[in-house]
Amino acid sequence: MSFDPGMLHSNGHTAYANGTGPGIREIGVVEKLLTSYGFIQCSERQARLFFHCSQYNGNLQELKIGDDVEFELSSDRRTGKPIAVKLLKIKPEVLPEERISGQVVSSIPMHLDGKSAPGQVPTGSVCYERNGEVFYLTYTPDDVEGNLHLDTGDKVSFYMDTNKHTGAVSARNIQLVKKKQMRCQGVVCATKEAFGFIERADVVKEIFFHYSEFKGDLEALQAGDDVEFTIKDRNGKEVATDVRLLPQGTVIFEDISIEQFEGTVVKVIPKVPTKNQNDPLPGRISARIGFTDKELPFGEKDTKSKVTLLEGDHIQFNISTDRRDKLERATNIDIYPDTFDFTKETREMGVIAAIRDGFGFIKCVDRDARMFFHFSEVLEESQLHISDEVEFTVVPVGPLYNLFAKDMLSAQRNHAVRIKKLPKGTVSFHTQSEQRFVGVVEKELVATSNKNTSPTRGKEKETEEGTIAYEDCGVKLTVPFHAKDLEGGGLPQAGDKVEFSINEVKRTGLQSAVSIRVLNRNSSNTKRLHGFVATLKDNFGFIETANHDQEIFFHYSEMCGDLENLELGDTVEYTLSKGKGNKVSAEKVTKVAAVNGIGDDVVATVMMGKVIRPLRSVDPSQTEYQGLIEVAEEGGVKGQNYPFGIMGMANKADCLQKGELVKFQVCTVTQTAQKMACNVVPQRRAMVECVKDQFGFITYEVGESKKLFFHVKEVQDGLELQTGDEVEFSVVLNQRTGKCSACNVRRVSEGPKPVATPRPDRLVNRLKSITLDDASAPRLVIVRQPRGPDNSKGFNVERKTRQPGVID
């Protein structure tokens, strides 16, 4: 059925749905608009009214959905339903709009693929402040200008928009003013007294921070720590604020290649930077990577070691790519062993002469002065020791080394770098002739007394050099010699015929005779005797004669050779001499190859005995040198005595005391046919008195002391001894201090396990019988009665762990 506009208000007849008179007009919004009719949504009430386009007063082409219109209410004469008539479009009042500043409080949710959530219109919210109150508005993606995605915390500006149908207010035409300041990361690169600097991980730049901005333990902050921070502008400069520690390894500046490359150093890093040098990567390496020749920079931190690099060095390295600016550089630089074939540098050799804390000195083959070196210049990771043979390069000392080595012998103009350890026997300071020469001793060695020398100090006796006269190709020549270059026993005397080789020092060209062997001894020489070292004191000792019945004094100044290797029981050759008061002493003492011990014809029977007299080295008050053992069991004549000397001891360092039980055998001295005790082994057993950390004491009487000291290192099999353990041991005498101690301690049986001692019955009974009324009992005075938190006796209220931020 079509609508007939002529039926409205015809013949002056009116019909109003609500009974109101004409002239009352309402306001609404065009909700639907078709060719000839439409519908209006009333603004003041919930009603939807039909209208015919003929009732619109104006250009129908300008009327659109959503326009505000004013109309009168009428009714359809045919159906009686209310309709809108006399429509008039309301021109909106154009008021200047104000952009409101606010902040995103909830961003529009997004899927992982960046698209909005399906099935619903995604919304976010912004807030703004008016007169101290905060208001919140929603927005959709269409309300954001520029198709941007806003994040929570972003500063924005927008217009307010009111929904005409629902009256809801929202934000529209949202513009981004300032993105939220993101947290940055970096590494602390420098710390000063009250501030520091951070190397940023997003750009190649350092940023300042004050210690007041560090949120954490400032004492623990140090260079190299990973941190995060916020950047703020202060006085026109960027500074880091709210600095906080990150787990170590969080910040990564670069990506390092797995593949290693070979290259050549074309420019080294100067030891002393120039004033105009600002390049942090001053070194250069040339390498062929793929099919392209590249020149890569490197800095001081890019070498695996601190060994000096030289131009032309053959090296291997990795490539590091900076994530911030994609700069490539060489890193993990390591020198190839064959690099010396490429650099053509002059290599020298020497021996480590001294080592200090972090540096040392080399005795050079071709130079007089010792050469200073720093440990960082050692190519191998193995530690150097004194006497190690090395190869090195000599370079001029820079100002930095002069500062380090000032007031030292090394403060000269050269130092050793690129030090390589050599196999033993590679370095030689001398050249020795293969030809053997024969000559006659023209001047014999003369000893100079040095009473400060001793075996414990490892010093050799000082001697004036001797001279040998010989002929070479008809020319009479002389050559000096020293005691250390003698072979065999005894010092050569004047007139002795000797055979020798000639040694020449490479550095100085000086010659001397070595490997000297006496051919024919001058008949006028004093007779040489053999003996055995029986005692070694601080600067003198005693020799047991070949007959094992006496001891001969000798001073260390009379010792020819190295005192450090002299031990008890060593065979020596010597000459007798008489000093003041006709006292006999040994001189020109020389260590020789060992000969047979105390004698031959050793009886196989092992006997038990008792020491009734020790050696004089143990008891200096006795006149006899020899000790004496009395047979104490069957198998020998009980009560028969056998003497013994140092060579009769199975352990030459053992200190046999009077009264000790021993096992021994009997032998016959070849020269005198005297029967003596040999292979004497003490039979000592005693209890451990106590053990204190690294040492302890054994209940054993030695001289005036009733207990014997031992160190835990002397306990065999690494056992831990306890008080009461039964042990076997040897006693050794410290020749310098005169004190004895136990060694070679072996546990025979374990002692009883310690048991906690119970309280005495008298104490237990006393405690049971004590009462407060007992006047003799200990008195307790109550200072304060116990009270709970609620002032009651005891804790009636259940105690709970307080949660942070919660107040009960």
Side-chain angles (χ1 to χ4, degrees):
M1 180 183 68
S2 61
F3 175 76
D4 183 6
M7 297 178 67
L8 291 173
H9 313 296
S10 60
N11 300 322
H13 177 76
T14 60
Y16 302 99
N18 55 2
T20 59
I24 298 177
R25 299 181 67 80
E26 294 186 28
I27 297 174
V29 178
V30 177
E31 184 186 60
K32 187 174 181 180
L33 184 61
L34 299 177
T35 305
S36 59
Y37 66 94
F39 291 91
I40 297 173
Q41 176 68 44
C42 297
S43 299
E44 298 174 356
R45 56 193 176 94
Q46 291 292 332
R48 186 170 181 265
L49 301 178
F50 170 88
F51 76 92
H52 195 273
C53 291
S54 62
Q55 294 294 315
Y56 176 67
N57 184 13
N59 187 359
L60 191 61
Q61 299 297 326
E62 296 179 357
L63 187 64
K64 297 179 181 179
I65 295 175
D67 286 346
D68 293 331
V69 293
E70 187 182 45
F71 61 91
E72 289 184 7
L73 185 64
S74 180
S75 60
D76 189 342
R77 292 177 60 186
R78 300 175 60 181
T79 63
K81 292 182 179 181
I83 60 174
V85 297
K86 299 181 182 180
L87 277 70
L88 181 66
K89 183 177 179 181
I90 301 174
K91 294 183 178 180
E93 183 179 358
V94 180
L95 299 175
E97 286 187 300
E98 177 189 1
R99 291 196 73 85
I100 301 173
S101 296
Q103 179 177 318
V104 178
V105 293
S106 176
S107 62
I108 296 176
M110 305 288 287
H111 278 314
L112 294 177
D113 58 1
K115 296 180 181 179
S116 58
Q120 63 180 355
V121 178
T123 61
S125 63
V126 296
C127 71
Y128 67 97
E129 183 181 358
R130 282 289 184 273
N131 299 324
E133 291 188 64
V134 179
F135 300 91
Y136 295 87
L137 304 175
T138 61
Y139 73 95
T140 65
D142 294 335
D143 294 323
V144 182
E145 294 184 359
N147 196 25
L148 299 175
H149 177 73
L150 300 179
D151 294 313
T152 301
D154 287 349
K155 302 291 184 182
V156 293
S157 68
F158 53 88
Y159 293 112
M160 293 177 58
D161 185 56
T162 304
N163 190 307
K164 295 176 182 178
H165 302 288
T166 63
V169 182
S170 63
R172 64 178 175 83
N173 299 107
I174 301 174
Q175 293 179 351
L176 176 65
V177 176
K178 185 178 180 181
K179 291 290 290 183
K180 176 190 174 183
Q181 184 64 58
M182 301 298 292
R183 296 285 285 172
C184 298
Q185 295 182 342
V187 174
V188 177
C189 59
T191 54
K192 305 296 182 182
E193 185 175 350
F195 60 91
F197 292 91
I198 299 171
E199 185 175 359
R200 293 171 58 175
D202 54 341
V203 292
V204 184
K205 188 178 180 181
E206 292 180 2
I207 188 169
F208 168 91
F209 76 98
H210 194 271
Y211 286 165
S212 60
E213 293 291 345
F214 179 70
K215 311 301 180 184
D217 183 8
L218 192 58
E219 297 292 332
L221 184 67
Q222 58 185 353
D225 284 344
D226 292 354
V227 292
E228 66 172 359
F229 54 92
T230 302
I231 299 176
K232 289 187 178 180
D233 289 333
R234 288 183 181 170
N235 299 326
K237 293 183 179 180
E238 289 185 337
V239 297
T241 61
D242 191 20
V243 182
R244 299 177 185 271
L245 278 177
L246 292 174
Q248 204 67 17
T250 302
V251 181
I252 301 175
F253 290 103
E254 57 196 8
D255 297 311
I256 299 176
S257 66
I258 299 175
E259 182 183 359
Q260 285 193 320
F261 303 91
E262 292 186 26
T264 303
V265 177
V266 294
K267 182 182 177 183
V268 297
I269 301 174
K271 287 288 184 183
V272 183
T274 60
K275 293 182 179 179
N276 299 326
Q277 180 181 321
N278 296 320
D279 188 1
L281 304 173
R284 295 292 183 270
I285 288 174
S286 175
R288 187 168 184 82
I289 300 173
F291 299 99
T292 307
D293 291 330
K294 283 190 176 183
E295 189 171 276
L296 299 171
F298 69 93
E300 290 185 358
K301 297 180 180 179
D302 291 318
T303 55
K304 277 191 173 181
S305 66
K306 297 299 181 182
V307 176
T308 300
L309 288 177
L310 297 179
E311 291 184 5
D313 267 336
H314 185 207
I315 50 96
Q316 65 178 358
F317 62 93
N318 297 93
I319 294 179
S320 169
T321 304
D322 197 308
R323 292 184 174 183
R324 300 167 292 182
D325 59 1
K326 305 305 178 184
L327 174 68
E328 289 185 340
R329 77 174 197 278
T331 190
N332 296 334
I333 300 170
D334 198 12
I335 299 176
Y336 272 115
D338 64 349
T339 188
F340 305 113
D341 299 333
F342 293 83
T343 57
K344 306 299 182 184
E345 61 194 285
T346 302
R347 302 286 285 172
E348 299 187 19
M349 291 191 292
V351 174
I352 303 298
I355 288 180
R356 302 288 186 267
D357 186 14
F359 63 95
F361 298 92
I362 300 173
K363 181 182 178 182
C364 305
V365 171
D366 301 318
R367 298 173 186 262
D368 291 331
R370 295 193 305 174
M371 193 65 62
F372 171 86
F373 74 94
H374 197 273
F375 284 173
S376 62
E377 290 291 347
V378 181
L379 287 171
E380 294 87 358
E381 294 182 358
S382 58
Q383 190 174 1
L384 289 180
H385 302 87
I386 293 177
S387 299
D388 280 349
E389 300 175 14
V390 292
E391 182 184 62
F392 55 92
T393 301
V394 177
V395 298
V397 174
L400 295 180
Y401 276 88
N402 275 330
L403 288 173
F404 184 80
K406 115 179 122 173
D407 298 331
M408 300 182 192
L409 292 175
S410 63
Q412 302 178 18
R413 297 184 179 178
N414 297 312
H415 68 278
V417 298
R418 301 158 65 87
I419 300 166
K420 180 180 179 181
K421 190 174 180 181
L422 299 175
K424 284 288 185 184
T426 305
V427 178
S428 174
F429 290 86
H430 312 88
T431 56
Q432 184 171 325
S433 64
E434 296 181 0
Q435 179 183 356
R436 298 285 289 177
F437 298 88
V438 175
V440 177
V441 176
E442 188 176 80
K443 178 187 175 184
E444 62 185 59
L445 295 169
V446 179
T448 58
S449 177
N450 184 2
K451 295 186 179 181
N452 292 327
T453 57
S454 71
T456 57
R457 296 173 186 171
K459 295 183 180 179
E460 292 185 358
K461 177 183 72 71
E462 298 178 1
T463 59
E464 294 182 5
E465 63 184 17
T467 306
I468 298 174
Y470 70 103
E471 286 188 7
D472 184 17
C473 299
V475 180
K476 291 185 178 181
L477 302 170
T478 59
V479 64
F481 72 97
H482 305 86
K484 63 183 180 61
D485 297 316
L486 298 175
E487 291 183 354
L491 292 175
Q493 306 294 319
D496 283 349
K497 189 176 181 180
V498 293
E499 183 183 46
F500 60 93
S501 299
I502 292 180
N503 180 74
E504 182 177 321
V505 180
K506 290 181 179 180
R507 186 177 66 253
T508 61
L510 294 178
Q511 293 183 340
S512 62
V514 296
S515 303
I516 304 167
R517 185 165 57 88
V518 178
L519 298 178
N520 295 320
R521 186 171 295 281
N522 192 334
S523 59
S524 63
N525 288 344
T526 307
K527 182 180 179 181
R528 303 284 288 173
L529 303 175
H530 281 84
F532 310 95
V533 177
T535 307
L536 292 172
K537 298 291 186 180
D538 191 27
N539 54 13
F540 64 92
F542 289 92
I543 298 172
E544 182 181 282
T545 62
N547 294 336
H548 311 288
D549 56 354
Q550 294 181 8
E551 60 179 356
I552 306 295
F553 170 88
F554 76 99
H555 194 276
Y556 289 160
S557 61
E558 293 293 340
M559 182 66 197
C560 302
D562 190 0
L563 281 169
E564 189 177 1
N565 297 326
L566 194 64
E567 297 179 354
L568 293 176
D570 283 349
T571 304
V572 293
E573 190 179 59
Y574 62 95
T575 303
L576 289 177
S577 67
K578 290 186 179 181
K580 294 181 180 180
N582 288 329
K583 290 184 178 180
V584 177
S585 63
E587 63 179 16
K588 300 178 181 177
V589 181
T590 308
K591 182 177 176 179
V592 296
V595 298
N596 291 336
I598 188 169
D600 299 326
D601 192 19
V602 178
V603 178
T605 304
V606 178
M607 293 186 284
M608 288 291 295
K610 181 179 180 182
V611 177
I612 59 175
R613 185 178 70 205
L615 292 173
R616 188 157 57 189
S617 59
V618 177
D619 184 9
S621 61
Q622 67 187 36
T623 57
E624 299 85 354
Y625 162 70
Q626 290 179 319
L628 205 60
I629 297 175
E630 181 182 41
V631 178
E633 69 162 14
E634 297 180 1
V637 180
K638 190 172 182 179
Q640 187 175 359
N641 297 336
Y642 291 98
F644 70 94
I646 190 68
M647 297 305 293
M649 302 284 295
N651 180 5
K652 306 296 186 293
D654 211 334
C655 183
L656 283 180
Q657 303 290 319
K658 182 178 180 180
E660 286 190 315
L661 296 177
V662 294
K663 286 183 179 181
F664 66 97
Q665 294 171 280
V666 177
C667 67
T668 304
V669 179
T670 307
Q671 297 89 334
T672 61
Q674 182 186 14
K675 292 188 179 299
M676 296 185 66
C678 66
N679 300 329
V680 181
V681 179
Q683 302 297 300
R684 299 188 185 97
R685 285 197 180 186
M687 298 294 181
V688 176
E689 181 180 279
C690 63
V691 179
K692 300 178 180 179
D693 195 16
Q694 297 296 313
F695 63 92
F697 292 93
I698 299 172
T699 306
Y700 190 79
E701 186 173 347
V702 180
E704 297 180 358
S705 177
K706 299 199 178 287
K707 55 185 179 180
L708 187 65
F709 171 89
F710 72 92
H711 196 280
V712 294
K713 291 182 180 179
E714 295 293 342
V715 180
Q716 295 182 0
D717 301 326
L719 298 176
E720 291 187 8
L721 296 181
Q722 304 291 334
T723 301
D725 288 351
E726 186 178 17
V727 292
E728 289 182 348
F729 53 92
S730 299
V731 178
V732 293
L733 174 66
N734 188 315
Q735 300 286 356
R736 296 187 62 188
T737 63
K739 294 182 178 181
C740 294
S741 62
C743 67
N744 299 327
V745 181
R746 185 176 67 87
R747 185 168 68 187
V748 178
S749 61
E750 294 188 43
K753 298 295 182 182
V755 180
T757 306
R759 288 182 173 181
D761 292 339
R762 57 181 178 78
L763 178 58
V764 174
N765 295 332
R766 173 70 171 161
L767 292 174
K768 288 181 179 179
S769 62
I770 269 183
T771 64
L772 292 177
D773 297 331
D774 189 352
S776 62
R779 304 301 296 174
L780 300 178
V781 179
I782 298 176
V783 178
R784 177 174 58 85
Q785 291 288 349
R787 293 287 179 182
D790 57 351
N791 205 30
S792 62
K793 293 183 179 180
F795 291 90
N796 295 331
V797 180
E798 181 182 358
R799 305 184 71 182
K800 299 180 180 179
T801 304
R802 190 181 74 82
Q803 299 297 325
V806 178
I807 300 176
D808 295 334

